[in-house]
Amino acid sequence: MSLRLKLMAALLATGLAAVAVAGGLAYLGLSHKFDALRREQAAEHFYSGVNAYFNQYGDWTTASEREPFDRFMRRREGAAQLRSDSPGPGAEGPPPHEGGPRPPHGGGPRPTRPEPPFRFVLADADFRVLLGAGRFTPGSALPSQVRLATRPVEVNGRTVAHVVADGEFAPSEQDRAYLRAMQSSLLTGGMAAAALAVGLGLLLGAGLSRRLQGLTGAIRAMHGGALHQQVPAEGSDEVAVVAKAFNEMSEKLARSHEELQVSHRKILEQAAQLRELSVRDALTQLYNRRHFDEQASTLFKQAMRHKRPLSLVIADIDYFKHINDKFTHATGDAVLRQIGEILRTHMRLSDLVARYGGEEFVLALPETAAPQARALCDKLRGLIENYPWHTLHPDLRVTMSMGVCADLAAGSAEAMLRKADVLLYRAKETGRNRVCHV
């Protein structure tokens, strides 16, 4: 069930419950008030009639013989519609066994008259029951606890009877019609309240549902990766408080995520730099020996698998110790950096060049047979020899000797390097500043 329907159902249930409680309490209150008013009116009417009855006839016995109390009340009320055995509105007439003349009915059935709304107890001056109202037997003594609630009837300053104002309710048809009208009004009010609750439920549910849908949509967007989300947060109700908290949380999350991304990129860059530093020679910025050995082994395996040529070269600066001793180590370092620059500048992207240690350099030339490797090395040797070293020192002269091996039958990159190293020493023994190959 959607939130809108839940809210509408809750408002409807709340409205109906409120109407039922309020209507029930109102109905009980009105019924009680109506009962009290009718009881008071009937009691006063009954007391007035009894008082007039005794004032006219003096005592109950004489009055009953001359005119029964119910006939007196009918005559006094202008022939009100009473039952033949009822003493009148608000009073009970003498029961059949109590005696007293009755109006003739021609021997036929007695006409039926409405039940009086209240029936009251009447006792004489000695608290002997005259009218029992269905509660006490005429002629019996009135109980002592009931005597406390009686109202005396006086004639010429003398108490001749006692009226008990505690009657039994029996609503008339008019009373029932009034109660039915009151019930109908309450029911109509309940239906109007229910309709109002449904309308309010639809209205409030639509507004709340729209706001919550925006909030849930923003949450889904955050789940999809778009962390910076903002939703309307007007008002000061609970939904607005949640929306404001969500906006703050979204902004903080987006900012934290951005900072984390920046930090992550920086870490990746630093990690790349560290990796690069771990495989680079700090002086010449060429690869170091460890990285060259790993890559040369891989290139050798690829050459063997695809049956493609591969050449490995070892080069050594001639008389480098003499350069350091005569022109200082700073000049020697400058020579190493410049040779590294020459080698790097004139190599292909697929080639690999590294400082192998001290004044030694190594080259891996994939897809390069011996003649092409020899030609490249001779070119590099000439570039090094003809470089204007005098810019570093007027008397400085630098040359390089190289050994080239392109024999894959050696069995491994390490074995090829060993052969190239043998050829390097041959170049040095035969006069330096030259390239030797198989």
Side-chain angles (χ1 to χ4, degrees):
M1 182 184 291
S2 67
L3 182 61
R4 182 187 303 179
L5 292 178
K6 289 181 180 179
L7 181 61
M8 187 176 68
L11 288 174
L12 178 60
T14 304
L16 290 177
V19 168
V21 172
L25 293 176
Y27 180 75
L28 291 176
L30 287 173
S31 298
H32 179 73
K33 187 67 175 177
F34 177 78
D35 183 17
L37 289 175
R38 293 288 289 127
R39 185 187 302 275
E40 183 180 350
Q41 291 174 357
E44 187 62 31
H45 179 71
F46 179 71
Y47 181 81
S48 175
V50 169
N51 201 3
Y53 190 60
F54 275 95
N55 273 282
Q56 181 173 343
Y57 294 109
D59 61 78
W60 180 261
T61 303
T62 303
S64 297
E65 290 176 352
R66 296 185 63 181
E67 183 180 18
F69 183 67
D70 61 342
R71 185 185 302 171
F72 173 81
M73 291 299 292
R74 283 199 305 275
R75 179 171 59 78
R76 190 168 184 266
E77 292 178 356
Q81 297 296 320
L82 302 173
R83 290 186 308 167
S84 60
D85 57 352
S86 172
E92 178 184 343
H97 64 272
E98 289 188 66
R102 294 289 185 268
H105 298 292
R110 295 177 179 178
T112 300
R113 287 181 291 138
E115 182 74 14
F118 289 94
R119 293 185 295 172
F120 298 98
V121 176
L122 178 65
D124 62 12
D126 297 325
F127 295 102
R128 291 288 176 179
V129 176
L130 299 176
L131 299 176
R135 296 173 57 191
F136 305 105
T137 303
S140 62
L142 197 66
S144 58
Q145 66 269 20
V146 179
R147 296 179 185 183
L148 299 176
T150 61
R151 182 179 179 183
V153 179
E154 296 182 353
V155 176
N156 299 323
R158 181 175 60 88
T159 300
V160 296
H162 296 275
V163 174
V164 179
D166 183 17
E168 179 180 313
F169 181 58
S172 66
E173 184 59 34
Q174 182 180 2
D175 297 334
R176 294 191 185 95
Y178 174 78
L179 292 175
R180 283 194 299 270
M182 185 167 60
Q183 291 175 346
S184 177
S185 298
L186 290 174
L187 181 60
T188 303
M191 294 177 64
L196 180 61
V198 172
L200 287 176
L202 290 173
L203 182 62
L204 296 178
L208 182 59
S209 176
R210 182 172 59 255
R211 296 169 68 187
L212 291 180
Q213 283 176 358
L215 190 58
T216 54
I219 292 174
R220 291 193 187 97
M222 290 183 67
H223 185 267
L227 296 181
H228 192 271
Q229 298 292 325
Q230 294 293 301
V231 297
E234 297 87 0
S236 59
D237 56 10
E238 288 79 359
V239 178
V241 172
V242 171
K244 291 176 183 176
F246 172 82
N247 290 339
E248 293 177 1
M249 178 193 69
S250 174
E251 187 173 351
K252 290 180 180 178
L253 279 177
R255 185 165 55 249
S256 298
H257 183 264
E258 185 177 353
E259 292 173 355
L260 184 63
Q261 289 293 96
V262 172
S263 177
H264 180 65
R265 286 194 296 269
K266 184 177 292 186
I267 290 173
L268 290 179
E269 291 173 359
Q270 292 174 348
Q273 291 173 0
L274 288 174
R275 283 197 301 271
E276 196 66 17
L277 288 173
S278 70
V279 298
R280 292 284 181 181
D281 174 62
L283 181 62
T284 63
Q285 296 303 307
L286 298 177
Y287 288 115
N288 58 26
R289 179 170 183 168
R290 181 172 63 85
H291 182 73
F292 181 86
D293 288 340
E294 293 174 356
Q295 296 301 312
S297 177
T298 301
L299 291 173
F300 178 83
K301 292 176 183 178
Q302 290 176 351
M304 292 295 293
R305 184 183 305 115
H306 300 293
K307 302 186 184 300
R308 304 300 299 171
L310 173 67
S311 296
L312 299 182
V313 179
I314 293 183
D316 186 84
I317 301 174
D318 297 329
Y319 302 111
F320 186 71
K321 185 177 182 303
H322 175 71
I323 294 173
N324 278 335
D325 293 342
K326 183 178 179 179
F327 302 104
T328 73
H329 285 278
T331 303
D333 290 345
V335 170
L336 289 172
R337 281 193 295 270
Q338 187 57 50
I339 288 179
E341 179 66 22
I342 293 172
L343 294 177
R344 182 171 52 249
T345 303
H346 294 84
M347 301 292 288
R348 298 171 302 180
L349 292 177
S350 59
D351 296 336
L352 182 66
V353 58
R355 184 185 177 191
Y356 215 53
E359 68 274 18
E360 281 189 337
F361 296 85
V362 287
L363 291 78
L365 309 173
E367 299 292 335
T368 305
Q372 290 83 14
R374 183 176 65 249
L376 175 61
C377 289
D378 196 55
K379 175 184 176 182
L380 294 172
R381 182 200 59 77
L383 290 171
I384 293 170
E385 180 183 12
N386 296 321
Y387 184 80
W389 297 107
H390 60 84
T391 56
L392 297 178
H393 194 280
D395 299 330
L396 180 61
R397 181 174 178 272
V398 180
T399 60
M400 178 173 277
S401 300
M402 301 180 183
V404 181
C405 177
D407 185 13
L408 294 176
S412 66
E414 292 81 0
M416 291 180 66
L417 285 175
R418 286 194 294 270
K419 284 190 175 186
D421 191 50
V422 171
L423 294 170
L424 170 63
Y425 275 95
R426 182 184 299 174
K428 286 184 175 292
E429 290 172 353
T430 56
R432 290 184 170 81
N433 192 23
R434 62 187 61 207
V435 177
C436 285
H437 56 88
V438 176

